[in-house]
Each structure stands twice: as C-alpha cells, then as structure tokens.
Amino acid sequence: MTTYLDFFELSTEPFSNAPVSRFYYNSAQHSQALTRLMHAVGYMKGLSILVGDIGAGKTTLARRMLDSLPESEYEAALLVIIHSGITANWLLRRIALQLGVENPAQEKLALLSQLYQRLLQIYESGKKAVVLIDEAQMLETRELMEEFRGLLNLEVPERKLISFVFFGLPEIEKNLKLDPPLAQRVAFRYKLEPFTAESTEAYVKHRLRLASSPRLPFSPEALLAIHQASGGTPRVINTLCDNALFEAFLARQETIGAELVRRVADNLGLVGSALPAPEGALAKPAPLPTSRAAGSKVDLAEIDRYLEGLGKL
C-alpha cells in the first residue's frame, strides 16, 4: 500500500512529535540556551531554569542536554514530573534512585543520609551530579521547593554536590516564589521564544532533509502560512506539516501551497493561533491527570510504574 512517505520519497516521518534525538534542530536560541545550561552545570552553579510555552521544545532540549553530558564527567539523570500531587518524600526517593542509591529508605533523615553519601561518592569519583527536571511547573508546593533548597545546601568546601535544571512552563517562576530563598539561588534563567518566520522555514527544511526528502514540497507561501498558523511553535509546526503532507498525498498533489496549509490549519483549529495539537495528534504516551479533586489521594506507586514505562520507550 502506497503511503505519503512513498509519495514524497521520504525515508521516515519528518514531522513526528515523538522526541527523536536525531531530529533535534539546533536553532540559535536552542544553541544559546544549551551553551549556558552546560556552563551552569559544568561549574556546579546550583539551580538553573529554562522556561517556554507549550510545545516550545523544552523536553527536546532537556533530552539533548542529557545526551550532551559525558558519562565520564557527570552522573546525570532526567526526571519527568507527571503529576502535581507528588510528595516531598516521593521526590527525594526518585532523585536518589536516579542517582544510583540502592533501596532508598522510607524515613526522611535516613534517605537524606543515603543521598548525601551517594553524592560524596560521585564527587570523590571526579564526577558531577546533575538532575534535569522536566515539567517542573508541576512542583506546586512550598514543601517541594524547600526540599530543593535543602539539597542545594549539600556542599563540600570546593563546590555544591548537586545541580538542578528545571524545564517547564512560565508558572515555574510563581512556584519558586513559594520559597524566596530558593528563588534567590537561581543561577541562570533562559526563556525559549517562538520561532521567527525565517526559523520556521529553516526548521521545516531541516526536518525534511533528515528524512531524506529529495525536494522541498512546500511552496514559499505555504511556509509562511505554516508560520502564521503555528505561531512559530515547533510542536504545532510538526502537526501542521504532517497533516499537510498527508492531505497532499491523498490529493496526489506534489507541491503544497498556502491554500492547503490554511485548510489543514482550519481543520485543526490553528488559524491565526498557536494552539496545541488536538488530542491524539502527538506521538506520546497518555499522561496521567495533572490535577486532583479535593480530598482525593494520589497513587504514587502508579506514578512510579508510569515513569518506569517511560524509560522503556
């Protein structure tokens, strides 16, 4: 059966929203952000923050940063916060597990002692402990903020024993204010802005080139329409381009014009806006709920199982 990949002579889906590292687009601002974040963890500055709106590429950058930290120099981990109802003890246990603590204790003081000893081991081995926190806007309580401040207090005379990088929505700033002393310890902040029209065009061409496209199927007018409808948001650009390629394939249309892009954008509810892609359009596992009804209790064991499943993708 012929597919749109065959029709456009593509080796793979160029606009999948799955976090495929080889499709990483090193835009000027992504390059600047990564350079600064790498500097911050290289010198163990403590806490750094990268913020951006929905679909701006924060998770992609977090994974890129994790891949860029040499195993010979760093003990690094990426922790995804998938529920706003996590507890401080759960958070400490997950960080301990990510950094190699075997059988983390349930009692907080014992757990902190285990984590401190593990951080000392990492330091004495000549490595640096770094934990990247994705979806950090879900850290919504003062108790959680205080735990991060406490961990950043773990030091040796030369430097801190652990660095954190928060990736998330702008609400992170509000959460940090729950613990002003922690907010004062932010060593580095960076905000990802939407792509310009030029960056959107370069991004689309980059993805097509990596998919072995023999030509550019989008007209110049179509590329501008993609930027206008997506608002320069990478995730929305992907969804829009993927749908446009499929519709062009169904119509046996080798060149995609602005009219087709606008029609697809209208069907997706994206005309003149940068709304997130509709449900089902993203190649991601279904998320757990991020809010809870009053009085309900979060099943932290379920969250643990979910995170373990993410590691197998």
Side-chain angles (χ1 to χ4, degrees):
M1 178 180 177
T2 303
T3 67
Y4 86 79
L5 298 183
D6 300 320
F7 183 77
F8 288 105
E9 301 178 68
L10 302 169
S11 60
T12 188
E13 292 181 69
F15 298 105
S16 168
N17 270 308
V20 181
S21 59
R22 76 183 188 88
F23 276 105
Y24 176 75
Y25 175 60
N26 194 33
S27 72
Q29 65 169 341
H30 282 76
S31 176
Q32 292 174 17
L34 186 58
T35 296
R36 287 163 172 75
L37 291 174
M38 293 292 285
H39 169 79
V41 300
Y43 285 89
M44 297 298 284
K45 297 289 187 179
L47 176 60
S48 301
I49 297 175
L50 182 131
V51 300
D53 292 326
I54 295 171
K58 301 178 297 296
T59 295
T60 302
L61 187 58
R63 292 176 180 271
R64 181 70 171 191
M65 183 174 181
L66 183 66
D67 291 341
S68 300
L69 295 169
E71 292 184 9
S72 59
E73 300 176 29
Y74 294 91
E75 188 74 30
L78 173 61
L79 176 58
V80 183
I81 307 300
I82 61 171
H83 201 291
S84 61
I86 64 172
T87 65
N89 193 61
W90 179 90
L91 178 69
L92 288 173
R93 283 176 54 82
R94 290 303 308 187
I95 291 173
L97 282 168
Q98 295 279 55
L99 292 177
V101 174
E102 296 182 5
N103 302 314
Q106 293 290 341
E107 200 274 323
K108 182 177 177 179
L109 288 179
L111 177 58
L112 285 172
S113 177
Q114 287 178 314
L115 187 52
Y116 179 66
Q117 293 302 319
R118 176 58 184 150
L119 290 174
L120 280 178
Q121 289 177 357
I122 294 170
Y123 167 73
E124 290 168 355
S125 72
K127 293 185 177 183
K128 299 166 184 174
V130 178
V131 178
L132 314 181
I133 308 288
D134 195 18
E135 302 292 353
Q137 75 278 352
M138 292 191 189
L139 302 168
E140 296 179 347
T141 68
R142 180 177 179 180
E143 182 185 20
L144 292 172
M145 295 295 103
E146 289 175 343
E147 291 301 338
F148 281 106
R149 174 160 54 89
L151 291 174
L152 289 171
N153 283 335
L154 300 178
E155 303 175 324
V156 290
E158 296 87 354
R159 62 172 171 82
K160 296 183 182 299
L161 288 174
I162 190 168
S163 282
F164 292 100
V165 182
F166 287 178
F167 297 80
L169 299 174
E171 291 92 292
I172 293 176
E173 303 285 358
K174 178 184 67 176
N175 297 348
L176 284 169
K177 292 179 181 177
L178 296 171
D179 186 56
L182 178 64
Q184 293 176 2
R185 298 184 185 204
V186 175
F188 170 76
R189 282 181 172 87
Y190 195 94
K191 182 176 181 181
L192 289 179
E193 301 290 349
F195 286 160
T196 62
E198 293 75 14
S199 294
T200 296
E201 178 177 342
Y203 175 78
V204 171
K205 291 178 177 178
H206 168 79
R207 302 279 300 212
L208 286 166
R209 183 171 61 254
L210 291 179
S212 304
S213 177
R215 61 184 181 82
L216 179 63
F218 297 97
S219 71
E221 295 77 16
L223 291 170
L224 181 58
I226 289 167
H227 174 71
Q228 292 170 338
S230 68
T233 301
R235 184 186 298 169
V236 186
I237 294 171
N238 288 345
T239 301
L240 186 53
C241 288
D242 185 66
N243 278 268
L245 285 171
F246 182 67
E247 292 299 327
F249 157 65
L250 293 179
R252 296 301 190 268
Q253 186 174 324
E254 293 186 353
T255 300
I256 299 170
E259 182 180 351
L260 175 57
V261 170
R262 293 192 192 99
R263 185 166 71 248
V264 170
D266 186 50
N267 290 337
L268 292 172
L270 300 176
V271 173
S273 68
L275 298 175
E279 184 178 356
L282 306 183
K284 297 176 69 174
L288 289 175
T290 57
S291 60
R292 48 181 172 154
S296 65
K297 195 169 184 179
V298 178
D299 187 348
L300 296 178
E302 181 181 357
I303 293 178
D304 284 331
R305 289 191 293 272
Y306 182 83
L307 288 175
E308 289 166 5
L310 286 180
K312 297 174 182 177
L313 294 178

